[in-house]
Amino acid sequence: MMKAFTWAALLVTGVVAMAQTATFDTTTKVFRLNGGNVSYVFGVNERGELQQMYWGGRLGAEDTFPQAKPMMGWASFDSPYTTTPQEYAGWGAGLFVEPALKVTFPDGNRDLVLHYASHTVTASGVDVVMKDIERPLFVTLHYAMDPASGILARSATIENRGTTAVTVEQAAAAAWALPAGHYTLNYLTGRWAGEWTLTQETLHPGARVIESRRGTTGHQANPWFAIQAGGPSEDSGEVWFGALAWSGSWRITVEQDQLDAVRVTGGFNPFDFGYVLHPGEKLETPVFYGGYSAHGMGGASRLLHHFEIAHILPHRIGTGEDAAPKPRPVIYNSWEATEFNVTEAGQIALAERAAALGVDRFVMDDGWFGQRKDDHAGLGDWYVNPQKFPHGLKPLIDKVHALGMDFGLWVEPEMVNPNSDLYRKHPDWVLNFPGRPRTEQRNQLVLNLARPDVKEYVLDFLDKLLTENDIAFLKWDYNRNWSEPGWDQLPPAEQKKVYVAFTENLYSILAELHKRHPKVELESCSGGGGRVDLGILRYADEVWPSDNTDPFDRLSQQYGFTYAYTPQIMMAWVTDSPHWLNKRSTSLTYRMLSSMEGSLGIGADITKWNNEEMATAKRLIAAYHQVQRTIVQGAQYRLISPLNGSEFSATQTVNQDQSQSVVFLYIHSTQEGRLFPLLKLKGLDPKADYALTSIEGKAMPDTPAVASGAWWMNHGLQMDGDFRGDFQAAAFRLDRK
Ligand code: GLA
């Protein structure tokens, strides 16, 4: 047993403290990472394999593990190689569960068995080198644990130190393991205009595959999972969760094996994958983040939200807190008001109205460039359309600045319309298989960003745009997925490299732009929420969750979104009613309060708003500004779910020092006169007094103006009896006295 935590004692007992978060016991060959309330333990087992041993609540400092023992095999059908939860198993030696790595050597050998070789201490964890039992194929597993949240970043570097090329056919970032048990799996699915559907199911033996084969993240599934012990619960119970930081084709396989143990393996999608590693070359996998909470799904998402703000989202200019992600400016966006019909005069008219509302940032959407009249032409030709803007963008930008707002612009850099000068000049620049049709979607093709010349073109035009114009923000769109993913510049055997090189070049363009224009903020949009993941979020300050701006649909989408992502990045516009998608009519107040649950924007044709609408929006934008940081960066509690036809829903956020809280309450459709349920709040300081102030709506008349946190949490907030009807909303703030 390890007693005193001194260097001398550590050395005597054979335990070497490697860094703040990691220890390695040289006797038992056990690695242990600690952070937040989490411990993650793995070791070199008696066979030389790297074996996962524990992932869960933080263990005592003096607790020790004996050397890892491989699991027993199961009769003559499942060997220990398959039953043992390996950290990163090569496909070989009769492995029947999902491999982390599968390769083919030029001599036809496809057997790969990785054993521990060495390890190195890093500042935040450990790098463990593994090697095939016979060939010079090396894999370095990287582990870095966040000391505050216990969220563990894992990835792998695959290196060919041999003299012949090796083809990597499958490469995961990491494999996570849970012991045999009864679990519920949560993941997010959807489609265009219907993203962020929370899907929950009991885990059964077999594999559940969540993936994108589209070349990009996709609307249909998001690279995030959460597994809860037992049934689903928002507030209690153990949850293990993970999010993959990759914006290309990806796959997460959640597998309950033949002995009921669970493994989650995720990384590059092995479908159509084939990465040739020449001698001396390396392949870096994306990072797969994993975390643990003992406080249900709510606890898991609160950890993830804070981690994203602190460690994933771009930190802009300045240092420390100064550079930390700020609450988003309240934006106006022109898309739903004008679509492609943008003109200098029309945009100025919108900007004047937006400024009168108290908007901070004016964003001109699609339509300003090339010969762009509709979605048939112009993509690729990034010059300002001279008919619409005869004097360039400057007069509009100057006007927006004079109105006290900053200026943002829409771009879709990775795309081209066949009807464009760029395509006429460079038809070979798109993803294609020579001689085969080039399938268009929205009349556009995907530029092959993996090509160095395409990468240079995209970086140059964006750099020029940002250098020549005073632009604070780019909405970076991506409106189709791949087809015919050929890259005919490379030999046939190497062309599948496009799945890695495209996304790496995207990241490198974004990194270079960040370097050259550090103040310019970015939104990731892909026809709504088609490119939201922890990879793009290292460069994007916010995302567009969905083209569906119906305020009622948005409540469910926003609910699902927050399982994986912070409201800080969740842009939500107020648009016109009746809504174009559902033909639903809702009040402006309801629309405002639906959007105020996230990062507020306005996307309606505000030139048509009457005085009363202008006044309502202005009042609520001002109220939002006062409490925005609490809403988007506070600890979020999903109090009542809007899913499954729920009559009511509610969310609450509490700021970091528990001095302020904001509550949103929504009625879908009152039935049988039922009143809004007594709402027990969460996360307040029970001993502090809080004053309740209405942002919109009334509490029961005898509700105390000031009461303790204990009162609000135990007794709860009762709404006034008039709070009934269809599509109703209310909001309150609580401030510590
Ligand atoms: C995508 C975006 C929209 C808008 C249009 C413009 O659909 O999601 O918000 O920018 O493109 O063409």
PDB file of all heavy atoms in Angstrom, residues 192 219 333 335-336 339-340 365-367 372 375 410 412 442 444 475 477-479 523 525-529 544 546-547 573, ligand 1:
ATOM      1  N   TRP A 192     -31.939  16.925 -42.001  1.00  0.00           N
ATOM      2  CA  TRP A 192     -31.987  18.364 -42.227  1.00  0.00           C
ATOM      3  C   TRP A 192     -33.287  18.911 -41.616  1.00  0.00           C
ATOM      4  O   TRP A 192     -34.352  18.317 -41.794  1.00  0.00           O
ATOM      5  CB  TRP A 192     -31.924  18.682 -43.730  1.00  0.00           C
ATOM      6  CG  TRP A 192     -32.112  20.147 -43.967  1.00  0.00           C
ATOM      7  CD1 TRP A 192     -31.165  21.119 -43.829  1.00  0.00           C
ATOM      8  CD2 TRP A 192     -33.330  20.799 -44.328  1.00  0.00           C
ATOM      9  NE1 TRP A 192     -31.730  22.343 -44.076  1.00  0.00           N
ATOM     10  CE2 TRP A 192     -33.068  22.177 -44.396  1.00  0.00           C
ATOM     11  CE3 TRP A 192     -34.637  20.360 -44.605  1.00  0.00           C
ATOM     12  CZ2 TRP A 192     -34.032  23.119 -44.717  1.00  0.00           C
ATOM     13  CZ3 TRP A 192     -35.603  21.299 -44.924  1.00  0.00           C
ATOM     14  CH2 TRP A 192     -35.294  22.668 -44.993  1.00  0.00           C
ATOM     15  N   HIS A 219     -25.988  15.545 -40.310  1.00  0.00           N
ATOM     16  CA  HIS A 219     -27.161  15.865 -39.484  1.00  0.00           C
ATOM     17  C   HIS A 219     -27.734  14.589 -38.854  1.00  0.00           C
ATOM     18  O   HIS A 219     -28.480  14.656 -37.883  1.00  0.00           O
ATOM     19  CB  HIS A 219     -28.314  16.411 -40.335  1.00  0.00           C
ATOM     20  CG  HIS A 219     -28.017  17.630 -41.144  1.00  0.00           C
ATOM     21  ND1 HIS A 219     -27.233  17.632 -42.271  1.00  0.00           N
ATOM     22  CD2 HIS A 219     -28.441  18.905 -40.983  1.00  0.00           C
ATOM     23  CE1 HIS A 219     -27.191  18.858 -42.780  1.00  0.00           C
ATOM     24  NE2 HIS A 219     -27.910  19.645 -42.019  1.00  0.00           N
ATOM     25  N   ASN A 333     -29.465  38.245 -38.712  1.00  0.00           N
ATOM     26  CA  ASN A 333     -29.070  37.544 -39.945  1.00  0.00           C
ATOM     27  C   ASN A 333     -30.146  37.735 -41.007  1.00  0.00           C
ATOM     28  O   ASN A 333     -31.336  37.596 -40.735  1.00  0.00           O
ATOM     29  CB  ASN A 333     -28.855  36.057 -39.664  1.00  0.00           C
ATOM     30  CG  ASN A 333     -28.470  35.303 -40.931  1.00  0.00           C
ATOM     31  OD1 ASN A 333     -29.302  35.113 -41.820  1.00  0.00           O
ATOM     32  ND2 ASN A 333     -27.224  34.875 -41.027  1.00  0.00           N
ATOM     33  N   TRP A 335     -30.887  35.987 -43.803  1.00  0.00           N
ATOM     34  CA  TRP A 335     -31.295  34.903 -44.685  1.00  0.00           C
ATOM     35  C   TRP A 335     -32.811  34.755 -44.848  1.00  0.00           C
ATOM     36  O   TRP A 335     -33.342  34.780 -45.952  1.00  0.00           O
ATOM     37  CB  TRP A 335     -30.667  33.583 -44.232  1.00  0.00           C
ATOM     38  CG  TRP A 335     -31.152  32.400 -45.025  1.00  0.00           C
ATOM     39  CD1 TRP A 335     -31.853  31.338 -44.541  1.00  0.00           C
ATOM     40  CD2 TRP A 335     -30.981  32.169 -46.428  1.00  0.00           C
ATOM     41  NE1 TRP A 335     -32.121  30.449 -45.554  1.00  0.00           N
ATOM     42  CE2 TRP A 335     -31.603  30.942 -46.729  1.00  0.00           C
ATOM     43  CE3 TRP A 335     -30.359  32.878 -47.468  1.00  0.00           C
ATOM     44  CZ2 TRP A 335     -31.633  30.404 -48.006  1.00  0.00           C
ATOM     45  CZ3 TRP A 335     -30.387  32.349 -48.748  1.00  0.00           C
ATOM     46  CH2 TRP A 335     -31.020  31.123 -49.010  1.00  0.00           C
ATOM     47  N   GLU A 336     -33.518  34.626 -43.752  1.00  0.00           N
ATOM     48  CA  GLU A 336     -34.960  34.371 -43.899  1.00  0.00           C
ATOM     49  C   GLU A 336     -35.703  35.621 -44.392  1.00  0.00           C
ATOM     50  O   GLU A 336     -36.773  35.509 -44.981  1.00  0.00           O
ATOM     51  CB  GLU A 336     -35.554  33.842 -42.587  1.00  0.00           C
ATOM     52  CG  GLU A 336     -35.094  32.422 -42.295  1.00  0.00           C
ATOM     53  CD  GLU A 336     -35.999  31.672 -41.320  1.00  0.00           C
ATOM     54  OE1 GLU A 336     -37.180  32.012 -41.174  1.00  0.00           O
ATOM     55  OE2 GLU A 336     -35.481  30.734 -40.687  1.00  0.00           O
ATOM     56  N   GLU A 339     -33.434  36.071 -48.371  1.00  0.00           N
ATOM     57  CA  GLU A 339     -32.793  34.966 -49.107  1.00  0.00           C
ATOM     58  C   GLU A 339     -31.683  35.547 -49.998  1.00  0.00           C
ATOM     59  O   GLU A 339     -30.899  36.333 -49.495  1.00  0.00           O
ATOM     60  CB  GLU A 339     -33.834  34.160 -49.865  1.00  0.00           C
ATOM     61  CG  GLU A 339     -34.782  33.485 -48.859  1.00  0.00           C
ATOM     62  CD  GLU A 339     -35.405  32.215 -49.357  1.00  0.00           C
ATOM     63  OE1 GLU A 339     -35.482  31.998 -50.571  1.00  0.00           O
ATOM     64  OE2 GLU A 339     -35.821  31.418 -48.497  1.00  0.00           O
ATOM     65  N   PHE A 340     -31.645  35.173 -51.302  1.00  0.00           N
ATOM     66  CA  PHE A 340     -30.501  35.595 -52.133  1.00  0.00           C
ATOM     67  C   PHE A 340     -30.585  37.056 -52.570  1.00  0.00           C
ATOM     68  O   PHE A 340     -29.651  37.589 -53.140  1.00  0.00           O
ATOM     69  CB  PHE A 340     -30.419  34.711 -53.388  1.00  0.00           C
ATOM     70  CG  PHE A 340     -30.256  33.262 -53.069  1.00  0.00           C
ATOM     71  CD1 PHE A 340     -31.353  32.409 -53.008  1.00  0.00           C
ATOM     72  CD2 PHE A 340     -28.996  32.728 -52.809  1.00  0.00           C
ATOM     73  CE1 PHE A 340     -31.198  31.067 -52.706  1.00  0.00           C
ATOM     74  CE2 PHE A 340     -28.833  31.386 -52.506  1.00  0.00           C
ATOM     75  CZ  PHE A 340     -29.940  30.548 -52.447  1.00  0.00           C
ATOM     76  N   ASP A 365     -26.160  37.289 -45.136  1.00  0.00           N
ATOM     77  CA  ASP A 365     -26.088  35.870 -45.492  1.00  0.00           C
ATOM     78  C   ASP A 365     -25.821  35.712 -46.990  1.00  0.00           C
ATOM     79  O   ASP A 365     -25.290  36.607 -47.651  1.00  0.00           O
ATOM     80  CB  ASP A 365     -27.387  35.175 -45.019  1.00  0.00           C
ATOM     81  CG  ASP A 365     -27.189  33.712 -44.679  1.00  0.00           C
ATOM     82  OD1 ASP A 365     -27.139  32.889 -45.613  1.00  0.00           O
ATOM     83  OD2 ASP A 365     -27.084  33.373 -43.480  1.00  0.00           O
ATOM     84  N   ASP A 366     -26.190  34.588 -47.545  1.00  0.00           N
ATOM     85  CA  ASP A 366     -25.935  34.195 -48.936  1.00  0.00           C
ATOM     86  C   ASP A 366     -26.438  35.252 -49.926  1.00  0.00           C
ATOM     87  O   ASP A 366     -27.421  35.941 -49.663  1.00  0.00           O
ATOM     88  CB  ASP A 366     -26.693  32.876 -49.160  1.00  0.00           C
ATOM     89  CG  ASP A 366     -26.200  32.123 -50.365  1.00  0.00           C
ATOM     90  OD1 ASP A 366     -25.427  32.687 -51.146  1.00  0.00           O
ATOM     91  OD2 ASP A 366     -26.608  30.958 -50.514  1.00  0.00           O
ATOM     92  N   GLY A 367     -25.756  35.331 -51.086  1.00  0.00           N
ATOM     93  CA  GLY A 367     -26.271  36.132 -52.197  1.00  0.00           C
ATOM     94  C   GLY A 367     -25.422  37.324 -52.593  1.00  0.00           C
ATOM     95  O   GLY A 367     -25.710  37.973 -53.595  1.00  0.00           O
ATOM     96  N   ARG A 372     -24.568  35.318 -58.158  1.00  0.00           N
ATOM     97  CA  ARG A 372     -25.446  34.557 -57.258  1.00  0.00           C
ATOM     98  C   ARG A 372     -26.820  35.217 -57.199  1.00  0.00           C
ATOM     99  O   ARG A 372     -27.006  36.207 -56.475  1.00  0.00           O
ATOM    100  CB  ARG A 372     -24.802  34.523 -55.868  1.00  0.00           C
ATOM    101  CG  ARG A 372     -25.500  33.611 -54.869  1.00  0.00           C
ATOM    102  CD  ARG A 372     -25.008  32.213 -54.972  1.00  0.00           C
ATOM    103  NE  ARG A 372     -25.358  31.419 -53.810  1.00  0.00           N
ATOM    104  CZ  ARG A 372     -25.456  30.094 -53.848  1.00  0.00           C
ATOM    105  NH1 ARG A 372     -25.221  29.432 -54.974  1.00  0.00           N
ATOM    106  NH2 ARG A 372     -25.756  29.425 -52.752  1.00  0.00           N
ATOM    107  N   ASP A 375     -29.664  29.469 -56.039  1.00  0.00           N
ATOM    108  CA  ASP A 375     -28.622  28.487 -55.698  1.00  0.00           C
ATOM    109  C   ASP A 375     -28.050  27.761 -56.929  1.00  0.00           C
ATOM    110  O   ASP A 375     -27.358  26.758 -56.783  1.00  0.00           O
ATOM    111  CB  ASP A 375     -29.115  27.508 -54.621  1.00  0.00           C
ATOM    112  CG  ASP A 375     -30.321  26.695 -55.063  1.00  0.00           C
ATOM    113  OD1 ASP A 375     -30.598  26.640 -56.282  1.00  0.00           O
ATOM    114  OD2 ASP A 375     -30.999  26.119 -54.184  1.00  0.00           O
ATOM    115  N   TRP A 410     -21.556  35.726 -44.761  1.00  0.00           N
ATOM    116  CA  TRP A 410     -21.731  34.305 -45.072  1.00  0.00           C
ATOM    117  C   TRP A 410     -20.747  33.868 -46.161  1.00  0.00           C
ATOM    118  O   TRP A 410     -20.558  34.576 -47.153  1.00  0.00           O
ATOM    119  CB  TRP A 410     -23.158  34.089 -45.564  1.00  0.00           C
ATOM    120  CG  TRP A 410     -23.559  32.683 -45.912  1.00  0.00           C
ATOM    121  CD1 TRP A 410     -24.195  31.800 -45.095  1.00  0.00           C
ATOM    122  CD2 TRP A 410     -23.428  32.021 -47.180  1.00  0.00           C
ATOM    123  NE1 TRP A 410     -24.454  30.625 -45.775  1.00  0.00           N
ATOM    124  CE2 TRP A 410     -23.993  30.734 -47.053  1.00  0.00           C
ATOM    125  CE3 TRP A 410     -22.877  32.393 -48.412  1.00  0.00           C
ATOM    126  CZ2 TRP A 410     -24.032  29.811 -48.107  1.00  0.00           C
ATOM    127  CZ3 TRP A 410     -22.907  31.468 -49.462  1.00  0.00           C
ATOM    128  CH2 TRP A 410     -23.478  30.189 -49.294  1.00  0.00           C
ATOM    129  N   GLU A 412     -19.304  29.983 -48.212  1.00  0.00           N
ATOM    130  CA  GLU A 412     -19.369  28.517 -48.304  1.00  0.00           C
ATOM    131  C   GLU A 412     -18.143  28.051 -49.081  1.00  0.00           C
ATOM    132  O   GLU A 412     -18.222  27.660 -50.252  1.00  0.00           O
ATOM    133  CB  GLU A 412     -20.677  28.087 -48.984  1.00  0.00           C
ATOM    134  CG  GLU A 412     -20.938  26.605 -48.801  1.00  0.00           C
ATOM    135  CD  GLU A 412     -22.270  26.137 -49.388  1.00  0.00           C
ATOM    136  OE1 GLU A 412     -23.035  26.953 -49.916  1.00  0.00           O
ATOM    137  OE2 GLU A 412     -22.518  24.907 -49.316  1.00  0.00           O
ATOM    138  N   ARG A 442     -28.147  20.536 -54.476  1.00  0.00           N
ATOM    139  CA  ARG A 442     -28.355  21.986 -54.454  1.00  0.00           C
ATOM    140  C   ARG A 442     -27.526  22.639 -55.566  1.00  0.00           C
ATOM    141  O   ARG A 442     -26.920  23.687 -55.377  1.00  0.00           O
ATOM    142  CB  ARG A 442     -27.983  22.580 -53.094  1.00  0.00           C
ATOM    143  CG  ARG A 442     -28.763  23.826 -52.747  1.00  0.00           C
ATOM    144  CD  ARG A 442     -28.156  24.605 -51.578  1.00  0.00           C
ATOM    145  NE  ARG A 442     -29.072  25.615 -51.101  1.00  0.00           N
ATOM    146  CZ  ARG A 442     -28.726  26.721 -50.472  1.00  0.00           C
ATOM    147  NH1 ARG A 442     -27.486  26.951 -50.177  1.00  0.00           N
ATOM    148  NH2 ARG A 442     -29.625  27.584 -50.083  1.00  0.00           N
ATOM    149  N   GLN A 444     -24.648  22.025 -56.653  1.00  0.00           N
ATOM    150  CA  GLN A 444     -23.251  22.300 -56.347  1.00  0.00           C
ATOM    151  C   GLN A 444     -22.441  21.025 -56.191  1.00  0.00           C
ATOM    152  O   GLN A 444     -22.993  19.940 -55.965  1.00  0.00           O
ATOM    153  CB  GLN A 444     -23.128  23.197 -55.108  1.00  0.00           C
ATOM    154  CG  GLN A 444     -23.651  22.606 -53.813  1.00  0.00           C
ATOM    155  CD  GLN A 444     -23.878  23.679 -52.737  1.00  0.00           C
ATOM    156  OE1 GLN A 444     -24.612  24.649 -52.938  1.00  0.00           O
ATOM    157  NE2 GLN A 444     -23.238  23.515 -51.600  1.00  0.00           N
ATOM    158  N   LYS A 475     -19.884  33.368 -41.183  1.00  0.00           N
ATOM    159  CA  LYS A 475     -20.739  32.190 -41.064  1.00  0.00           C
ATOM    160  C   LYS A 475     -20.269  31.247 -42.170  1.00  0.00           C
ATOM    161  O   LYS A 475     -20.464  31.512 -43.348  1.00  0.00           O
ATOM    162  CB  LYS A 475     -22.204  32.581 -41.258  1.00  0.00           C
ATOM    163  CG  LYS A 475     -23.160  31.399 -41.343  1.00  0.00           C
ATOM    164  CD  LYS A 475     -24.599  31.867 -41.450  1.00  0.00           C
ATOM    165  CE  LYS A 475     -25.530  30.703 -41.765  1.00  0.00           C
ATOM    166  NZ  LYS A 475     -26.914  31.138 -41.945  1.00  0.00           N
ATOM    167  N   ASP A 477     -20.499  28.037 -44.171  1.00  0.00           N
ATOM    168  CA  ASP A 477     -21.554  27.056 -44.478  1.00  0.00           C
ATOM    169  C   ASP A 477     -21.006  25.884 -45.301  1.00  0.00           C
ATOM    170  O   ASP A 477     -19.884  25.950 -45.833  1.00  0.00           O
ATOM    171  CB  ASP A 477     -22.684  27.772 -45.241  1.00  0.00           C
ATOM    172  CG  ASP A 477     -24.064  27.195 -44.930  1.00  0.00           C
ATOM    173  OD1 ASP A 477     -24.146  26.009 -44.540  1.00  0.00           O
ATOM    174  OD2 ASP A 477     -25.054  27.925 -45.095  1.00  0.00           O
ATOM    175  N   TYR A 478     -21.796  24.855 -45.425  1.00  0.00           N
ATOM    176  CA  TYR A 478     -21.362  23.623 -46.119  1.00  0.00           C
ATOM    177  C   TYR A 478     -22.642  22.848 -46.428  1.00  0.00           C
ATOM    178  O   TYR A 478     -23.166  22.128 -45.590  1.00  0.00           O
ATOM    179  CB  TYR A 478     -20.450  22.861 -45.163  1.00  0.00           C
ATOM    180  CG  TYR A 478     -19.797  21.613 -45.706  1.00  0.00           C
ATOM    181  CD1 TYR A 478     -18.589  21.689 -46.397  1.00  0.00           C
ATOM    182  CD2 TYR A 478     -20.362  20.358 -45.502  1.00  0.00           C
ATOM    183  CE1 TYR A 478     -17.969  20.543 -46.859  1.00  0.00           C
ATOM    184  CE2 TYR A 478     -19.745  19.209 -45.965  1.00  0.00           C
ATOM    185  CZ  TYR A 478     -18.545  19.297 -46.640  1.00  0.00           C
ATOM    186  OH  TYR A 478     -17.923  18.160 -47.089  1.00  0.00           O
ATOM    187  N   ASN A 479     -23.151  23.049 -47.651  1.00  0.00           N
ATOM    188  CA  ASN A 479     -24.539  22.666 -47.911  1.00  0.00           C
ATOM    189  C   ASN A 479     -24.783  21.365 -48.659  1.00  0.00           C
ATOM    190  O   ASN A 479     -25.849  21.202 -49.268  1.00  0.00           O
ATOM    191  CB  ASN A 479     -25.253  23.818 -48.624  1.00  0.00           C
ATOM    192  CG  ASN A 479     -25.785  24.819 -47.609  1.00  0.00           C
ATOM    193  OD1 ASN A 479     -26.444  24.436 -46.643  1.00  0.00           O
ATOM    194  ND2 ASN A 479     -25.484  26.089 -47.789  1.00  0.00           N
ATOM    195  N   GLU A 523     -18.722  30.927 -37.323  1.00  0.00           N
ATOM    196  CA  GLU A 523     -19.841  30.015 -37.027  1.00  0.00           C
ATOM    197  C   GLU A 523     -19.740  28.820 -37.951  1.00  0.00           C
ATOM    198  O   GLU A 523     -19.556  28.971 -39.152  1.00  0.00           O
ATOM    199  CB  GLU A 523     -21.174  30.731 -37.249  1.00  0.00           C
ATOM    200  CG  GLU A 523     -22.379  29.801 -37.080  1.00  0.00           C
ATOM    201  CD  GLU A 523     -23.704  30.553 -37.189  1.00  0.00           C
ATOM    202  OE1 GLU A 523     -24.048  31.287 -36.246  1.00  0.00           O
ATOM    203  OE2 GLU A 523     -24.375  30.426 -38.228  1.00  0.00           O
ATOM    204  N   CYS A 525     -21.704  26.131 -39.841  1.00  0.00           N
ATOM    205  CA  CYS A 525     -23.061  25.839 -40.296  1.00  0.00           C
ATOM    206  C   CYS A 525     -22.936  24.819 -41.405  1.00  0.00           C
ATOM    207  O   CYS A 525     -21.999  24.863 -42.190  1.00  0.00           O
ATOM    208  CB  CYS A 525     -23.693  27.132 -40.818  1.00  0.00           C
ATOM    209  SG  CYS A 525     -25.290  26.905 -41.614  1.00  0.00           S
ATOM    210  N   SER A 526     -23.828  23.873 -41.456  1.00  0.00           N
ATOM    211  CA  SER A 526     -23.871  22.982 -42.605  1.00  0.00           C
ATOM    212  C   SER A 526     -25.344  22.704 -42.845  1.00  0.00           C
ATOM    213  O   SER A 526     -25.891  21.748 -42.299  1.00  0.00           O
ATOM    214  CB  SER A 526     -23.082  21.699 -42.319  1.00  0.00           C
ATOM    215  OG  SER A 526     -23.280  20.764 -43.362  1.00  0.00           O
ATOM    216  N   GLY A 527     -25.993  23.622 -43.586  1.00  0.00           N
ATOM    217  CA  GLY A 527     -27.439  23.500 -43.773  1.00  0.00           C
ATOM    218  C   GLY A 527     -28.100  23.316 -42.408  1.00  0.00           C
ATOM    219  O   GLY A 527     -28.959  22.467 -42.235  1.00  0.00           O
ATOM    220  N   GLY A 528     -27.683  24.111 -41.419  1.00  0.00           N
ATOM    221  CA  GLY A 528     -28.085  23.900 -40.035  1.00  0.00           C
ATOM    222  C   GLY A 528     -26.997  23.131 -39.317  1.00  0.00           C
ATOM    223  O   GLY A 528     -25.816  23.449 -39.437  1.00  0.00           O
ATOM    224  N   GLY A 529     -27.376  22.074 -38.580  1.00  0.00           N
ATOM    225  CA  GLY A 529     -26.441  21.404 -37.671  1.00  0.00           C
ATOM    226  C   GLY A 529     -25.678  20.233 -38.243  1.00  0.00           C
ATOM    227  O   GLY A 529     -25.411  19.264 -37.528  1.00  0.00           O
ATOM    228  N   TRP A 544     -24.658  26.836 -36.013  1.00  0.00           N
ATOM    229  CA  TRP A 544     -26.059  27.023 -36.378  1.00  0.00           C
ATOM    230  C   TRP A 544     -26.717  25.646 -36.231  1.00  0.00           C
ATOM    231  O   TRP A 544     -26.456  24.745 -37.033  1.00  0.00           O
ATOM    232  CB  TRP A 544     -26.147  27.558 -37.815  1.00  0.00           C
ATOM    233  CG  TRP A 544     -27.532  27.858 -38.294  1.00  0.00           C
ATOM    234  CD1 TRP A 544     -28.049  27.510 -39.511  1.00  0.00           C
ATOM    235  CD2 TRP A 544     -28.570  28.566 -37.607  1.00  0.00           C
ATOM    236  NE1 TRP A 544     -29.336  27.965 -39.613  1.00  0.00           N
ATOM    237  CE2 TRP A 544     -29.685  28.612 -38.454  1.00  0.00           C
ATOM    238  CE3 TRP A 544     -28.661  29.169 -36.342  1.00  0.00           C
ATOM    239  CZ2 TRP A 544     -30.880  29.230 -38.083  1.00  0.00           C
ATOM    240  CZ3 TRP A 544     -29.841  29.777 -35.979  1.00  0.00           C
ATOM    241  CH2 TRP A 544     -30.935  29.807 -36.845  1.00  0.00           C
ATOM    242  N   SER A 546     -29.731  24.376 -36.570  1.00  0.00           N
ATOM    243  CA  SER A 546     -30.724  23.835 -37.502  1.00  0.00           C
ATOM    244  C   SER A 546     -31.276  24.949 -38.370  1.00  0.00           C
ATOM    245  O   SER A 546     -31.430  26.086 -37.900  1.00  0.00           O
ATOM    246  CB  SER A 546     -31.883  23.200 -36.724  1.00  0.00           C
ATOM    247  OG  SER A 546     -32.830  22.656 -37.626  1.00  0.00           O
ATOM    248  N   ASP A 547     -31.617  24.621 -39.626  1.00  0.00           N
ATOM    249  CA  ASP A 547     -32.349  25.589 -40.455  1.00  0.00           C
ATOM    250  C   ASP A 547     -33.795  25.700 -39.994  1.00  0.00           C
ATOM    251  O   ASP A 547     -34.522  26.598 -40.415  1.00  0.00           O
ATOM    252  CB  ASP A 547     -32.314  25.166 -41.928  1.00  0.00           C
ATOM    253  CG  ASP A 547     -31.031  25.611 -42.609  1.00  0.00           C
ATOM    254  OD1 ASP A 547     -30.291  26.418 -42.018  1.00  0.00           O
ATOM    255  OD2 ASP A 547     -30.772  25.155 -43.734  1.00  0.00           O
ATOM    256  N   TRP A 573     -32.341  31.924 -33.737  1.00  0.00           N
ATOM    257  CA  TRP A 573     -32.928  33.164 -34.266  1.00  0.00           C
ATOM    258  C   TRP A 573     -34.428  33.182 -34.069  1.00  0.00           C
ATOM    259  O   TRP A 573     -35.104  32.167 -34.213  1.00  0.00           O
ATOM    260  CB  TRP A 573     -32.740  33.300 -35.769  1.00  0.00           C
ATOM    261  CG  TRP A 573     -31.386  33.152 -36.328  1.00  0.00           C
ATOM    262  CD1 TRP A 573     -30.188  33.243 -35.682  1.00  0.00           C
ATOM    263  CD2 TRP A 573     -31.086  32.880 -37.706  1.00  0.00           C
ATOM    264  NE1 TRP A 573     -29.163  33.046 -36.579  1.00  0.00           N
ATOM    265  CE2 TRP A 573     -29.696  32.818 -37.827  1.00  0.00           C
ATOM    266  CE3 TRP A 573     -31.870  32.686 -38.843  1.00  0.00           C
ATOM    267  CZ2 TRP A 573     -29.068  32.566 -39.046  1.00  0.00           C
ATOM    268  CZ3 TRP A 573     -31.247  32.441 -40.049  1.00  0.00           C
ATOM    269  CH2 TRP A 573     -29.853  32.386 -40.145  1.00  0.00           C
TER     270      TRP A 573
HETATM  271  C1  GLA B   1     -27.858  27.052 -45.459  1.00  0.00           C
HETATM  272  C2  GLA B   1     -27.851  27.691 -44.088  1.00  0.00           C
HETATM  273  C3  GLA B   1     -28.854  28.811 -44.041  1.00  0.00           C
HETATM  274  C4  GLA B   1     -28.516  29.830 -45.110  1.00  0.00           C
HETATM  275  C5  GLA B   1     -28.469  29.161 -46.471  1.00  0.00           C
HETATM  276  C6  GLA B   1     -27.963  30.110 -47.525  1.00  0.00           C
HETATM  277  O1  GLA B   1     -29.050  26.383 -45.702  1.00  0.00           O
HETATM  278  O2  GLA B   1     -28.111  26.738 -43.101  1.00  0.00           O
HETATM  279  O3  GLA B   1     -28.867  29.421 -42.769  1.00  0.00           O
HETATM  280  O4  GLA B   1     -27.277  30.416 -44.806  1.00  0.00           O
HETATM  281  O5  GLA B   1     -27.628  28.026 -46.468  1.00  0.00           O
HETATM  282  O6  GLA B   1     -27.928  29.555 -48.782  1.00  0.00           O
END
